[in-house]
Structures are given as structure tokens and as C-alpha cells.
Amino acid sequence: MGRATAAAMIPGLALLWALLQGGAALSTPRLRLSFQELQARHGLRTFRLERTCCYEALLLDEEHGRLFVGAENHVVSLSLDNISKRAKKLAWPAPVEWREECNWAGKDIGTECMNFIKLLHIYNHTHLLACGTGAFHPTCAFVEVGHRLEEPVLRLALGSLEDGKGKSPYDPRHRAASVLVGEELYSGVAADLMGRDFTIFRSLGQRPSVRTEPHDSRWLNEPKFIKVFWIPESENPDDDKIYFFFRELAVEAAPALGRLSLSRVGQICRNDVGGQRSLVNKWTTFLKARLVCSVPGIEGDTYFDHLQDVFLLPSKDRQSPLLYTVFSTSSIFQGSAVCVYSMSDVRRAFLGPFAHKEGPMHQWVPYQGRVPYPRPGMCPSKTFGTFSSTKDFPDDVIQFARNHPLMYNSVLPMGGRPLFLQVSSGYTFTQIVVDRVAAADGHYDVLFIGTDTGTVLKVISVPKGSRPNSEGLLLEELQVFEDSAVVTSMQISSKRHQLYVASKSAVAQISLHRCASHGRACAECCLARDPYCAWDGATCTRFQSSAKRRFRRQDIRNGDPSTLCSGDSSRPKLLEQKVFGVEGGSTFLECEPRSLQAHVNWTFQRVGEAARTQVPVEGRTEHTAQGLLLRRLRRQDSGVYQCAAVEQGFSQPLRRVALHVLNAAQAERLARVEETMPAAPPGPKLWYRDFLQLVEPGGGGGHGGAHSLRMCRPLSASRPQPPEPQRKGRNRRTHVPEQRAERGPRSAAHW
Ligand SMILES: *[C@@H]1O[C@H](CO)[C@@H](O)[C@H](O)[C@H]1NC(C)=O
Ligand SMILES: *[C@@H]1O[C@H](CO)[C@@H](O)[C@H](O)[C@H]1NC(C)=O
Ligand SMILES: *[C@@H]1O[C@H](CO)[C@@H](O)[C@H](O)[C@H]1NC(C)=O
């Protein structure tokens, strides 16, 4: 509806093709760091309990430096500074009778009939509220946690066990979405064993429970709840609203489209106590609107309809946080997108026309008739009217509210399109958290996106053209889990600069920044465009907005090192190398830029010539991600090859390789030397000098010994390789030399 007419709801393949062609659909991270690399060099810490799965509920307690984790049969308290140490655990299994009942009901005793802790909230200074599936018998309890980390307390409060129906899901595969406001819990959940009665429910506290109208598909139609937030509407607490984010089957979709799932934002008033004569103990202020996340196109929009997660980024004004969301597609192609919404756009949709359908044979249209007063969706308060309770609402208001929960207009993302998207990347976004960072040239939002393959993407939002349009830049791809598990939950501590990530198999902790990994040059640090990092004159290091001006070499907006790093004398030394090849054979000149977004430019200067030319891309040369392969070598290939990393128009020389192509006679002489060589040759430099004297009598000294010298062997040589990070989609050393490979792998020079 609105922009989402039925015909346009299915993504056009032509459009998808255009997306892919445009190259805007798949970004490469600048850095990709493996689990092993993160663990060895970047302080990745992990936590897991023996024989315990499903770390799904994460609760941050910044004040006391604790991270609470809900998992299978356990609640755990960890240190926020280091989750690998000092775990305190509370075992909370489901009673045997419940597990047996669960098993009789046809569920799996080992994987389903357990107490999966789904929900953790800070209740007061000494207690948490925790709820779990209790082997398809939802249960809640207060957990005593003490005031401080040092206090060795983590236990179920005596006599506090109570029914968790309407709070925790029954089924471990379902998510719990809830928020605790004061003593009251607002939750979106399936409230029955069969998973058919879906409800938005208020429980606990002193007031009677309130819920949605049961089994009315206009209110909720097989929803999957994602997140719930409490957001003030004005200075008057009577106007406070609770916002629910979920996806559900679209009642408004044309029947021809089948079971179409759409994403929604729903609202209720915190002071809603239900109606007096009808809608008793049911919401009278419930409204919902479609959340659209789509790429506009000439032939129709491409929709990302599967809401996966929502993160509320607070602003100075408590009433207007930003809503960062991740969506995936549910059909045809694999794609994910980040869309950002403003609260004013959400509120505008709820103030717009109501969706109306006259009868089964009619279309959904904007309601044109008289809307009763007070307008449904408004909270009873002094701000907007004279009603003090929803029980005082006139009957026509209640009737209208019951029949018109859906708004006609959708909520569109800021800028009218996704901030960031990935199509055919091999993974789907599942979680998002966001940090607002002060950089030298303003504030930037840094997004951490969890995926279904155990990775976290770090993306920054940078202005594109005129504000408020922004685009996302993919800085890092971090493999935070060893086993590619789905990221199920994330929490961020801006204060401690740490990210906490949960999956089925473990919890991981990683710093928000790894400045040194960007490189050892000013240009690399600048090109990285990482708002957490700056060039301090000697290294790429943590950016401190309070530090002196001259220590702030950082340009997030443009990432242009030519101005920022000009006159920087700390440019790292060019790596120099000597390499030998033999006529007719092959050789490989290694050069691999740190940045996956850089491309490599090879230039060549023939021996005795001044001109420097670009190495052609075709013929006997092959450019690979790891370097340059030269085949069928000729004498005139001898010369100096220089490799430069080119990124955003900025070229940085990385290596200079002097290639010396030998003729067959020289190679033969070498082969004879090889046969008389002792099994363990002396040091490489000595070996090299001896060799030169043999092949070019008197010519050895001219090459100078100051360079880092290395004999070039064909690539099948059994030279030990330095440990390499795993790189998806990159094959190292797949090529073989074309000649003389049969001489055996033992020798140091068997071409
Ligand atoms: C975290 O704690 C573990 C276990 O005590 C310890 O081995 C590790 O070195 C700690 N890591 C850091 C970065 O402090
Ligand atoms: C916190 O709540 C629990 C459960 O209702 C109660 O037993 C405890 O006394 C409360 N603690 C404080 C400090 O209010
Ligand atoms: C590669 O380097 C040469 C020589 O420095 C230069 O003329 C050329 O423009 C560079 N190519 C690219 C794509 O940067």
C-alpha cells in the first residue's frame, strides 16, 4: 500500500539484475580477519559452557561491569572486561516431570525439552527477571545477583518461580521480544503450546494484564516478534508509548501473492488499561504500519521484507532515537539490507489515514469517513485531550480501534533507500548494534552487523552528497566464531569499546577497533576511514577527540591521504627483492596489499632503459590477488618490476622486484652446482653470491647485498610458507611452473 502496490511487492528480476550490474549490490570489506588472526593478535575472547548450547539472551550491566548470558539450562554472569575469566553460573534445568510431558507431546527430549533461557531484564538493584522455555512449559523467576561483581551471588530467589506464559515462548526456535518498564513486562510472544495464539501482552506489576484481540488476523497474523522499545512521546509520561517490531503475513496483500510476509512497527500506549464495555483488558490504542525497506527502481522497487533486528540509537532528545534495522529478502535472491528510520516518520504514519476494507470483495483503501474523537492511537492524557483513562473512551472510538489496527501509509527509510546492502554475498544479516563516534570531522555512526555465518561486518555511515543522505562503507569482516554459527544476539559497550556476540555455540568479545591492523603508513590509516583510528605521526592508533590537533590525522568523510599525509616522512620502506627466472620457465612476483579494496598496478622498467611501462594484463602475464605470474620467460623480461596498491585514486608503492632471467646454459651450470651442494645449504645470502659467480663470473657484486635477497623458485618448491589468514575465495599458489618441474621438490633452485 502507499508505495507498496500489490504489483510491485515482488522484486523484479530485471531490477535485481540492474542492481548487480551497477556494482552497488556487493561490497568487499577493506580488511577480512579470520578467527585465528583475531584470537592471536586482536584480543578476541570467547566463552562457552561444557555441553551447553544456545547463548541467546545477553544483558549488559555497565554499572557493575557484568554481562549476563542466558543459555540452555543456565544463567551466567561474566566480566565485561574479559568474558573468558571468572564465570559465575546458575544451573536452572526444567523439572523431570515437565521434560517427560514435553517428550510425550512429541518433542525431542535432548534438543527441545530443556529450559532455554530466552529473556533477561534488570529488575531492580539486586534482582534480574529471567524467563525460559522450561521444556515447553514457560517459566519466569527472579535471579538474585547482588550489588557488585565481587559479590559471589547468582541464585534463583526462593519462591519466585512463576508461570512464564505470555512472556517466554514455548518453542526454543522462537524468539522472545520484550521490554521491562518499571515493574511491568511488555512482550510479543506465542502464548500457547501449539504456537497459534500470538499476543502483545502486558504482565507483572499491579495492573490487570492487557493483551491483543485473540485470533483476529487483522490485529496479528502469524507474527514473529523482533524487538520491543519504550519511547517517550512528550515530556508528559502519560503519552509514553511502547513500540513493537515484528513481521507477519500481510492481510492486505492480493490473494494471488500467496503467503506474503511483511515487516511492521506497532504501537500501544503505556497507560492503556483496555476498554470499559468492549475490548475489556485488550489494547484500545494498538496500531501498526508497514516498515518498507526497498531499493527504488524504474520498473518497480526491490523489497527487503524480512525484518531481522532493530537497534535503537539514542539521541540527546529522548523522544527521537534513530531506528537502525536489518532486513533480508524472503524470495528469489539472497540479499540483506540496513534501513534507518526516524521516529517522526513512524509517528507520521500513525497520524495518517487508516487502512480500510469495506468487505471481502473490496480493495484496501485509505479510510475516507469521519474518524471518531479522540483519534484511535492517541493516549489518554492532558497533552492531547481531556480523557484520563482508556476506559472513558466513547464506544465509537473503541469500535473503530478494533476494526482499524492497520495504517494505510508505510514507513519509509531515511533517504528513501537502504543505507547499506549486500546481494549474493553468501550470508544474511541477522543482528545489528550501532555506536555513535566523535571523529575529527564530525560524528559518525559505526554499524556492527552480525550474519548467519559467524561473522560481524563493521560498516560506517558517511554522508553522500547533501545531507541527510548517507551510504554505508564496509570496513571490516570479522570471523568471530570458529564454527560459522548464526549470530543470535549482540550487545555493545561504547564505554568499554567492546562488542559482545552470541551464537548457538559460544559468546565472543572483541574490541570495536584494531587500528594497527590498518597498516604502518599514514596513507593506509587514512584510507581505512575508521573513525576510531587516526595517524599520530608514527602509527595508526586509537583516535582521541580530546588529543591535540596535530595528533589528529584523520579524514573519515573523504579518506584522501594525498592532502592528509603529504610531507609525511614515515612512509614505510619499499620492500626490495631480487628474483631469478629461467628462459622459457615461469616465475611469480609476490605482492599482496593489506586492503582487499585496493587493486595492484605493476610497472616494468627494462634493464638499461629509462622508460617505465605498465605490465599488460594479457598474454604471458597473469595478475592474481597475490601477485604477478610471468610465463614463458624471455631474456628481455629482465628488469625492475614495481608493484603499487591503488585505492581511491591514491597509489602507494609496495614492492620493487629485480627480475633476472637466465639462459639455459646458466641454468645448467646452476643445476650442476646443486648436485654438489651439501644437503643443508649455507645461509641464503652466501648461496646467492656463490651462485652469481658461477653463472655470471665477476658479475655477482654488482647486484649489491643490501637488499633482501631471495632466490626465486618455481612455486612447487617446498619452501615453508608463513602462516596465512584464511581468505575466502582466494587460492594461494595454484599455478605450477611449466618447465622442469619434474626435477623434484628437494632443491632450493630446481628450475
Ligand atoms: C582473559 O582472561 C583469560 C582467563 O583468565 C586469560 O587467559 C586472558 O589472558 C585474559 N585476556 C585478557 C586480554 O586480559
Ligand atoms: C528486588 O525485587 C525482588 C523481587 O521482587 C525483591 O525480593 C527484592 O527485595 C527487591 N530488591 C530491592 C532492592 O528492591
Ligand atoms: C599505474 O602506474 C603508472 C605508472 O606510475 C601510471 O601511469 C598509471 O596511471 C597507473 N595505473 C593506475 C590504474 O593507477
Side-chain angles (χ1 to χ4, degrees):
M1 297 193 303
R3 199 160 106 189
T5 60
M9 278 185 181
I10 290 185
L13 276 178
L15 181 70
L16 168 65
W17 185 239
L19 255 178
L20 290 165
Q21 293 277 295
L26 184 58
S27 312
T28 305
R30 193 165 185 281
L31 289 182
R32 184 177 282 139
L33 299 172
S34 69
F35 177 80
Q36 288 75 12
E37 214 171 343
L38 288 172
Q39 212 174 31
R41 265 173 261 155
H42 302 293
L44 174 73
R45 275 150 273 179
T46 53
F47 169 82
R48 61 158 60 85
L49 284 174
E50 287 279 300
R51 292 184 300 282
T52 302
C53 88
C54 311
Y55 304 83
E56 205 175 297
L58 293 184
L59 176 65
L60 211 59
D61 178 9
E62 287 267 23
E63 201 186 328
H64 301 112
R66 302 181 285 205
L67 178 72
F68 296 107
V69 181
E72 180 190 23
N73 298 335
H74 288 92
V75 175
V76 189
S77 169
L78 306 174
S79 160
L80 273 184
D81 295 319
N82 183 352
I83 63 167
S84 298
K85 67 175 188 193
R86 276 197 304 186
K88 212 177 316 159
K89 65 176 185 182
L90 160 70
W92 182 12
V96 175
E97 315 87 79
W98 293 1
R99 296 192 63 206
E100 282 171 355
E101 265 173 51
C102 171
N103 196 212
W104 292 332
K107 312 291 179 190
D108 187 273
I109 189 89
T111 59
E112 293 178 293
C113 302
M114 300 283 182
N115 187 24
F116 294 93
I117 311 303
K118 291 281 178 176
L119 174 165
L120 290 175
H121 291 293
I122 292 178
Y123 188 70
N124 60 22
H125 288 303
T126 53
H127 287 73
L128 303 183
L129 172 68
C131 301
T133 60
F136 277 80
H137 197 304
T139 311
C140 294
F142 290 111
V143 176
E144 201 183 335
V145 293
H147 282 294
R148 288 189 307 277
L149 188 60
E150 292 75 31
E151 264 181 61
V153 182
L154 188 70
R155 59 178 168 238
L156 287 179
L158 277 177
S160 75
L161 279 183
E162 65 166 60
D163 191 4
K165 188 172 148 130
K167 300 168 194 132
S168 164
Y170 285 70
D171 192 325
R173 284 168 303 184
H174 292 176
R175 279 223 267 195
S178 62
V179 65
L180 189 74
V181 182
E183 292 186 337
E184 294 176 320
L185 185 75
Y186 294 82
S187 48
V189 73
D192 66 336
L193 180 65
M194 304 306 289
R196 297 218 184 99
D197 177 25
F198 296 94
T199 176
I200 288 174
F201 192 53
R202 181 173 65 210
S203 54
L204 305 178
Q206 306 303 316
R207 299 187 281 184
S209 299
V210 180
R211 58 163 295 161
T212 39
E213 188 82 292
H215 307 292
D216 183 334
S217 61
R218 291 174 304 179
W219 283 49
L220 294 171
N221 195 16
E222 298 185 35
K224 296 273 183 297
F225 292 98
I226 306 295
K227 281 277 162 77
V228 189
F229 300 104
W230 164 38
I231 304 174
E233 205 83 353
S234 72
E235 292 304 316
N236 184 351
D238 280 344
D239 299 324
D240 285 4
K241 284 182 177 167
I242 314 293
Y243 289 91
F244 285 77
F245 292 84
F246 56 103
R247 48 176 202 260
E248 65 171 352
L249 296 182
V251 282
E252 72 268 37
L257 291 177
R259 289 165 62 88
L260 185 71
S261 171
L262 297 181
S263 299
R264 306 278 195 208
V265 51
Q267 67 133 59
I268 50 172
C269 291
R270 191 185 168 196
N271 62 6
D272 193 337
V273 291
Q276 182 66 22
R277 277 174 295 278
S278 60
L279 288 184
V280 177
N281 293 332
K282 312 266 169 55
W283 304 113
T284 62
T285 56
F286 175 65
L287 294 178
K288 64 181 181 181
R290 180 177 177 195
L291 273 184
V292 166
C293 181
S294 69
V295 182
I298 299 157
E299 291 184 38
D301 295 1
T302 303
Y303 286 90
F304 295 81
D305 270 328
H306 224 60
L307 182 64
Q308 296 277 0
D309 194 26
V310 183
F311 182 84
L312 199 122
L313 183 71
S315 68
K316 281 199 198 77
D317 174 7
R318 280 186 65 227
Q319 294 136 39
S320 348
L322 277 184
L323 301 164
Y324 275 90
T325 59
V326 285
F327 287 84
S328 61
T329 53
S330 45
S331 62
I332 307 184
F333 66 98
Q334 186 193 38
S336 304
V338 175
C339 276
V340 191
Y341 302 90
S342 75
M343 278 311 295
S344 56
D345 287 340
V346 170
R347 291 182 183 120
R348 191 172 304 120
F350 290 131
L351 289 173
F354 293 89
H356 180 75
K357 193 173 160 81
E358 201 58 49
M361 303 310 288
H362 289 71
Q363 299 273 323
W364 284 91
V365 293
Y367 182 74
Q368 302 285 2
R370 194 192 72 88
V371 174
Y373 179 84
R375 184 187 157 93
M378 288 297 193
C379 306
S381 92
K382 295 264 175 334
T383 315
F384 300 113
T386 53
F387 295 89
S388 58
S389 163
T390 54
K391 288 197 189 292
D392 302 337
F393 281 167
D395 285 341
D396 60 340
V397 170
I398 302 286
Q399 282 316 315
F400 191 90
R402 179 204 288 272
N403 295 321
H404 298 89
L406 179 63
M407 307 313 297
Y408 186 78
N409 289 338
S410 304
V411 185
L412 300 184
M414 292 170 81
R417 55 186 299 126
L419 172 71
F420 178 68
L421 60 89
Q422 288 285 63
V423 170
S424 304
S425 56
Y427 52 74
T428 298
F429 303 166
T430 59
Q431 292 282 307
I432 184 168
V433 294
V434 182
D435 189 23
R436 181 156 287 184
V437 187
D441 57 354
H443 282 81
Y444 291 90
D445 290 349
V446 183
L447 288 50
F448 295 90
I449 303 168
T451 73
D452 63 348
T453 54
T455 56
V456 171
L457 309 180
K458 177 169 160 182
V459 171
I460 59 163
S461 166
V462 290
K464 183 187 184 185
S466 59
R467 280 192 184 265
N469 282 352
S470 296
E471 66 177 331
L473 293 179
L474 179 52
L475 304 188
E476 294 175 324
E477 182 181 310
L478 311 170
Q479 182 80 44
V480 297
F481 293 115
E482 207 167 3
D483 62 354
S484 315
V486 179
V487 172
T488 52
S489 183
M490 291 211 288
Q491 288 286 334
I492 188 169
S493 168
S494 302
K495 201 169 121 193
R496 290 178 162 81
H497 278 266
Q498 298 290 314
L499 184 70
Y500 306 91
V501 191
S503 77
K504 191 170 180 152
S505 55
V507 185
Q509 174 189 2
I510 184 88
S511 169
L512 303 183
H513 50 81
R514 288 146 287 284
C515 298
S517 67
H518 293 312
R520 284 187 291 271
C522 176
E524 290 175 296
C525 191
C526 176
L527 284 165
R529 299 173 80 174
D530 188 330
Y532 295 111
C533 306
W535 183 252
D536 70 357
T539 54
C540 194
T541 183
R542 170 83 194 285
F543 173 72
Q544 306 279 1
S545 56
S546 56
K548 285 199 190 78
R549 184 81 210 158
R550 67 194 167 93
F551 293 127
R552 294 179 177 190
R553 298 246 203 124
Q554 194 193 47
D555 175 17
I556 307 307
R557 183 163 305 195
N558 306 306
D560 179 11
S562 54
T563 49
L564 207 64
C565 301
S566 65
D568 193 278
S569 55
S570 63
R571 170 172 285 205
K573 267 225 165 71
L574 200 60
L575 230 92
E576 307 223 13
Q577 232 176 23
K578 269 196 171 38
V579 158
F580 291 89
V582 72
E583 252 182 312
S586 299
T587 190
F588 186 72
L589 312 182
E590 211 175 312
C591 182
E592 192 171 358
R594 194 184 299 261
S595 167
L596 304 182
Q597 285 169 0
H599 70 259
V600 162
N601 186 12
W602 281 99
T603 51
F604 172 54
Q605 189 180 11
R606 183 161 291 146
V607 172
E609 286 180 17
R612 175 172 288 281
T613 56
Q614 220 164 323
V615 176
V617 187
E618 75 293 278
R620 295 181 297 119
T621 64
E622 191 175 315
H623 294 250
T624 76
Q626 293 82 37
L628 185 68
L629 177 67
L630 297 171
R631 285 179 299 213
R632 299 193 297 282
L633 286 171
R634 301 172 188 156
R635 282 302 296 242
Q636 59 267 36
D637 291 337
S638 293
V640 174
Y641 291 78
Q642 184 166 311
C643 146
V646 183
E647 194 171 3
Q648 300 190 23
F650 184 82
S651 175
Q652 191 190 359
L654 298 179
R655 252 172 216 254
R656 188 181 295 148
V657 188
L659 174 69
H660 197 94
V661 180
L662 309 172
N663 62 29
Q666 291 170 320
E668 203 48 47
R669 226 174 299 160
L670 178 75
R672 253 180 280 125
V673 173
E674 187 190 293
E675 270 153 29
T676 60
M677 284 273 296
K685 278 184 189 172
L686 187 61
W687 163 220
Y688 165 76
R689 208 178 304 123
D690 293 348
F691 166 67
L692 274 191
Q693 273 159 10
L694 267 163
V695 296
E696 282 179 354
H703 291 266
H707 306 299
S708 101
L709 300 175
R710 219 189 70 204
M711 302 304 299
C712 181
R713 281 133 303 194
L715 299 148
S716 61
S718 61
R719 180 166 58 95
Q721 295 293 324
E724 275 297 328
Q726 275 179 7
R727 294 240 156 102
K728 238 196 230 171
R730 284 190 171 197
N731 293 322
R732 294 191 67 87
R733 311 271 148 96
T734 50
H735 39 268
V736 290
E738 290 172 355
Q739 293 201 344
R740 300 190 181 231
E742 72 285 353
R743 285 185 65 96
R746 182 192 63 87
S747 76
H750 63 267
W751 20 254

